[in-house]
Amino acid sequence: MFDFEYQLKMLPDKPGVYLMKNSLGEVIYVGKAKVLKNRVRQYFQNSSNHSAKVVAMVKNIAEFEYIVTDSESEALILECNLIKKYRPRYNILLKDDKHYPFIKITTNEDFPRVFTTRNYVKDGNKYFGPYTDVSVVYETLELIRKIFPLRNCKRNIVENGEVTRPCLNYHIGMCKAPCAGLISKEEYRKIVQDVINLLSARDTEVLKKLKKDMETAAENLEFEKAAALRDKINAVEKIQERQKIITGSFEDEDYIDIYSDEKDTCAQVFFMRQGKVVGREHFILEDTAGEEPGEIISQIIKEFYGGTPFIPSHIYIHDIVDQDLLEEWLSTKKGSKVSLKVPKRGEKVQFLEMVKKNAKMTLEQFKQKLLMDKEIQGTVLKELAELLELDELPHRIESYDISNIQGFDSVGSMIVFEEGKAKNSDYRRFKIKSVIGANDYDSMREILERRFRHGLEEVKNIQERKLEFSNGKFSVFPDLILMDGGRGQVNVALEVLEELGINIPVAGMVKDDRHKTRGLIYNNIELPIKPNSKVMQLITRIQDEVHRFAITYHRTLRDKRTLHSVLDEIPNIGEKRRIALLKKFGSVENIKNATIEELLETPSIDRRAAESIKSYFTSQRQKNG
């Protein structure tokens, strides 16, 4: 047993990070402290000053550990890394851990390309973004390609280099064919500069130039050319409409504010680039009652900028704690000065007020949708309970499936629906350990035994320590089990539950000859369900989801095995190079089709290794005819 009194006395009078753990040894909270002794002790003192969330967390703390650092700034960095690693349930976590798209211009090439990327790298090229709406990025790129005849091929084209035949894009007027030497580097760069101007809020210069060229063409009676220029002007104006000018400042800025009701919080982040709003993002943070706004915003900054590759020079917020510390951390990550500012007057304050209004509206819409969903799902669950003659509503439904190909890489999956909605955080995957070959019944028996035996052990542990049942991975049992299959799968589940002394109703989701969900088998009787009813829609969703989850896991294992075996056969390619290649190209097929020059752009790949890769795949093609 963990001796709290002794361990609290042993806490050092130094900065560091502390990790709170539950009875299962899982990290449920990570925090940093200027003085560990003072900060950690606060959790175990008078709870009247604690928020409801902290009170709930403290009840589930079975032990804690700490790591001493040399400074508070080191503690902040370590805290961010550990939160990212453990994703503790009581930390503020942004559920949408995204890599936003950027528009990249390869200005370090003689003849630059323009394309979208999610990897922001300090490589000397130009990046614009991040954009939160991917459709806007692709539409902008499409319009740019219509206006500016730039290449979109991946060839390594250099000035005065080898001349090749131009592709179709040249013949339809969408490229000036630098590959064929039909445009100089200087002339090509002028077109690239127009694209940069367009994306850098200097689009008035581009419009002036296009309008002047159109007027000149019209005066010279070149009406087709004038019409083409008119279309380009319309395209530029369409891009302008996508980006609203807000300030006279042409710097990169983010604006963050929150709105909290009596229970939850919505955070809004507005991205401003070159004086224009290019996108916004929101995050719903549940159970934040009693937490200070400055604390919430500080946690959002750590979580959001700890995962995004781009950090602007200025971040405007309404309130914050640890301002100097966070500025130091952000500046280190960015490699240049980052300012966190709390404006007191002027347009920055007004803009933050607009951000907060958006946060309020988003939270209200979220709550309204939640109420509507709850009402609809409550009706569906009531109909399902009546259909199966259950004593209580099936608030939690678990479903299981097995996936394999001819007995190889057998895997099992468990999905969870709560209140009629998928609860992804409770999904579980199982690698089949005891069954050889394609035996779905025995495989299902194995995963059900593992799931419920583990659950019983957790329940016993939780009851002994008087913790919450939601504390474990398997401690919460379902109100209903839906098997992906008919009588055979249902009987396997019932046998396992009976052996373990667990009473949970089990039904089977059966499909027709066209592989569409037909209905449920319960107590050895197939129950008729109206095809277009809400109950049938819910059952179909559950069956599709459990099948998708099982197939995805199986495919991942199969692909890992395949990738590993193929790349391991190539001479001069070890583990480090294999990982680097997969990170850069994403698949063996892309590596196979890459040029020597593209392979050389991969970290740790030298010419010898690149030639070895090309030689291997060339010989494979020859063998396969």
Side-chain angles (χ1 to χ4, degrees):
M1 296 293 289
F2 190 80
D3 190 336
F4 278 92
E5 190 175 338
Y6 175 76
Q7 291 297 334
L8 288 170
K9 286 179 182 177
M10 295 300 293
L11 283 164
D13 193 11
K14 293 181 178 179
V17 173
Y18 53 93
L19 297 87
M20 302 300 192
K21 296 183 177 183
N22 63 15
S23 60
L24 303 172
E26 297 170 331
V27 176
I28 58 174
Y29 187 79
V30 174
K32 66 155 185 65
K34 191 173 184 179
V35 180
L36 281 166
K37 180 184 291 185
N38 298 342
R39 185 73 186 96
V40 177
R41 279 179 172 178
Q42 287 176 4
Y43 289 100
F44 303 97
Q45 292 170 354
N46 188 359
S47 62
S48 61
N49 298 324
H50 294 161
S51 67
K53 190 175 180 180
V54 171
V55 171
M57 180 189 77
V58 172
K59 284 181 181 177
N60 286 295
I61 297 174
E63 59 179 299
F64 65 81
E65 63 178 72
Y66 54 86
I67 302 168
V68 175
T69 59
D70 290 332
S71 65
E72 194 180 2
S73 60
E74 282 186 14
L76 175 65
I77 294 168
L78 181 57
E79 178 197 29
C80 292
N81 291 338
L82 292 175
I83 288 173
K84 194 172 181 181
K85 178 181 179 181
Y86 292 114
R87 308 294 293 169
R89 62 172 299 190
Y90 288 104
N91 282 94
I92 286 179
L93 301 173
L94 306 186
K95 294 178 182 178
D96 299 313
D97 186 14
K98 299 173 181 172
H99 289 287
Y100 299 102
F102 293 81
I103 292 176
K104 178 178 179 179
I105 303 179
T106 57
T107 50
N108 63 1
E109 295 180 334
D110 282 2
F111 297 94
R113 296 168 291 136
V114 183
F115 55 90
T116 181
T117 180
R118 292 179 186 269
N119 297 319
Y120 180 87
V121 185
K122 293 179 182 178
D123 54 5
N125 293 303
K126 283 271 187 183
Y127 290 84
F128 297 90
Y131 297 89
T132 54
D133 189 341
V134 179
S135 63
V136 170
V137 177
Y138 286 116
E139 188 175 342
T140 302
L141 278 177
E142 188 179 346
L143 292 170
I144 285 172
R145 283 169 183 154
K146 286 180 180 177
I147 304 167
F148 305 103
L150 297 177
R151 72 188 185 99
N152 59 14
C153 63
K154 294 182 179 180
R155 295 181 188 175
N156 183 25
I157 302 173
V158 296
E159 192 174 31
N160 301 321
E162 183 184 352
V163 174
T164 59
R165 183 187 299 177
C167 67
L168 180 63
N169 283 341
Y170 166 72
H171 297 291
I172 61 175
M174 293 186 68
C175 180
K176 289 291 187 180
C179 58
L182 298 180
I183 185 172
S184 67
K185 179 179 174 180
E186 184 181 352
E187 286 300 313
Y188 190 93
R189 285 277 174 170
K190 287 179 182 178
I191 302 173
V192 172
Q193 189 56 50
D194 284 341
V195 178
I196 293 171
N197 289 341
L198 181 62
L199 295 171
S200 302
R202 295 193 293 272
D203 37 34
T204 50
E205 298 173 25
V206 179
L207 276 174
K208 281 180 184 177
K209 183 181 175 185
L210 289 172
K211 286 176 180 177
K212 185 180 178 181
D213 290 345
M214 183 180 72
E215 289 167 5
T216 303
E219 287 171 6
N220 296 333
L221 306 180
E222 297 174 317
F223 299 118
E224 282 190 22
K225 184 178 179 182
L229 287 164
R230 179 203 60 205
D231 293 342
K232 289 184 177 183
I233 290 167
N234 291 337
V236 170
E237 287 174 343
K238 192 169 183 180
I239 292 173
Q240 280 183 322
E241 289 171 9
R242 291 289 192 182
Q243 301 175 323
K244 181 183 175 185
I245 296 178
I246 299 295
T247 70
S249 168
F250 291 95
E251 297 188 51
D252 294 335
E253 302 170 342
D254 282 358
Y255 290 77
I256 303 174
D257 211 341
I258 62 172
Y259 176 81
S260 301
D261 62 13
E262 65 282 354
K263 187 174 182 291
D264 305 313
T265 295
C266 177
Q268 284 268 353
V269 184
F270 273 65
F271 307 118
M272 191 178 293
R273 303 293 177 261
Q274 307 291 326
K276 293 184 176 184
V277 173
V278 298
R280 66 172 181 168
E281 188 60 278
H282 75 267
F283 304 96
I284 302 296
L285 312 172
E286 297 177 297
D287 300 322
T288 55
E291 296 192 35
E292 294 296 321
E295 283 281 358
I296 294 174
I297 291 174
S298 296
Q299 289 295 327
I300 289 167
I301 286 172
K302 286 187 280 189
E303 178 73 6
F304 184 72
Y305 294 107
T308 184
F310 181 83
I311 301 172
S313 301
H314 304 287
I315 302 169
Y316 292 92
I317 62 272
H318 174 72
D319 195 2
I320 195 167
V321 298
D322 294 331
Q323 182 172 345
D324 294 342
L325 193 62
L326 286 169
E327 279 185 337
E328 181 184 344
W329 173 66
L330 290 168
S331 299
T332 302
K333 278 185 69 68
K334 182 177 175 64
S336 60
K337 176 66 177 172
V338 176
S339 300
L340 290 169
K341 298 183 177 181
V342 182
K344 301 298 181 185
R345 63 183 69 86
E347 64 178 9
K348 307 291 186 188
V349 171
Q350 293 172 5
F351 193 65
L352 275 176
E353 287 173 359
M354 186 191 80
V355 175
K356 185 164 189 169
K357 283 178 185 175
N358 276 272
K360 181 181 179 184
M361 286 188 291
T362 303
L363 186 61
E364 288 172 349
Q365 289 167 3
F366 171 77
K367 290 294 181 76
Q368 189 63 34
K369 186 176 182 301
L370 212 61
L371 285 172
M372 289 175 64
D373 287 349
K374 200 169 184 180
E375 187 177 334
I376 293 167
Q377 297 304 336
T379 304
V380 176
L381 295 179
K382 187 177 179 183
E383 289 178 13
L384 181 58
E386 288 173 355
L387 176 71
L388 301 176
E389 298 180 354
L390 303 178
D391 295 332
E392 296 179 355
L393 293 184
H395 298 289
R396 181 183 173 98
I397 300 171
E398 289 183 6
S399 186
Y400 299 85
D401 191 19
I402 300 293
S403 179
N404 63 65
I405 293 180
Q406 295 179 345
F408 289 100
D409 291 329
S410 287
V411 297
S413 65
M414 162 186 141
I415 68 157
V416 178
F417 270 56
E418 280 195 357
E419 307 302 339
K421 294 180 70 176
K423 189 179 182 184
N424 302 74
S425 60
D426 282 10
Y427 283 19
R428 298 290 179 260
R429 287 165 166 166
F430 305 85
K431 247 178 144 176
I432 305 302
K433 298 176 180 178
S434 63
V435 181
I436 299 172
N439 188 328
D440 284 359
Y441 289 157
D442 284 351
S443 297
M444 183 62 72
R445 183 183 299 279
E446 179 189 320
I447 68 169
L448 288 169
E449 284 182 350
R450 283 164 60 186
R451 183 264 181 268
F452 286 104
R453 284 189 191 281
H454 196 157
L456 290 170
E457 289 171 10
E458 285 185 2
V459 168
K460 183 182 177 183
N461 198 354
I462 287 168
Q463 287 175 335
E464 287 175 354
R465 297 197 58 81
K466 297 181 181 179
L467 304 175
E468 292 181 8
F469 275 86
S470 59
N471 211 28
K473 288 184 177 180
F474 295 100
S475 56
V476 180
F477 283 10
D479 303 306
L480 173 67
I481 295 173
L482 293 180
M483 305 299 295
D484 183 40
R487 288 183 176 82
Q489 299 282 20
V490 171
N491 290 333
V492 167
L494 289 171
E495 285 170 14
V496 170
L497 294 174
E498 187 178 357
E499 287 169 11
L500 298 174
I502 301 171
N503 183 24
I504 299 173
V506 181
M509 301 179 289
V510 290
K511 293 186 176 182
D512 58 22
D513 295 338
R514 296 181 181 180
H515 214 62
K516 289 184 69 175
T517 307
R518 187 175 73 205
L520 292 178
I521 284 185
Y522 185 62
N523 289 335
N524 281 321
I525 299 171
E526 184 167 333
L527 302 173
I529 305 173
K530 291 179 182 178
N532 297 322
S533 67
K534 295 289 183 184
V535 170
M536 179 59 85
Q537 289 175 18
L538 174 62
I539 292 167
T540 302
R541 242 182 14 253
I542 292 172
Q543 190 165 35
D544 290 345
E545 179 66 357
V546 72
H547 187 62
R548 179 202 66 80
F549 191 57
I551 288 291
T552 303
Y553 184 38
H554 178 265
R555 190 177 293 134
T556 301
L557 291 177
R558 184 192 64 203
D559 289 349
K560 278 183 180 178
R561 180 166 50 81
T562 305
L563 291 175
H564 181 81
S565 59
V566 169
L567 295 180
D568 270 4
E569 291 177 11
I570 304 175
N572 304 316
I573 302 300
E575 184 179 356
K576 185 178 177 183
R577 284 175 170 170
R578 184 174 69 245
I579 292 168
L581 285 164
L582 289 172
K583 275 186 178 178
K584 178 169 176 61
F585 294 99
S587 70
V588 169
E589 191 63 28
N590 290 340
I591 298 169
K592 188 188 299 183
N593 296 327
T595 64
I596 291 284
E597 288 71 24
E598 287 171 336
L599 290 169
L600 287 171
E601 292 174 5
T602 310
S604 80
I605 298 294
D606 56 19
R607 183 161 290 277
R608 183 184 173 206
E611 288 174 351
S612 183
I613 293 165
K614 291 304 292 180
S615 174
Y616 173 81
F617 285 119
T618 301
S619 65
Q620 288 296 308
R621 286 193 189 100
Q622 290 170 351
K623 282 180 186 177
N624 296 329

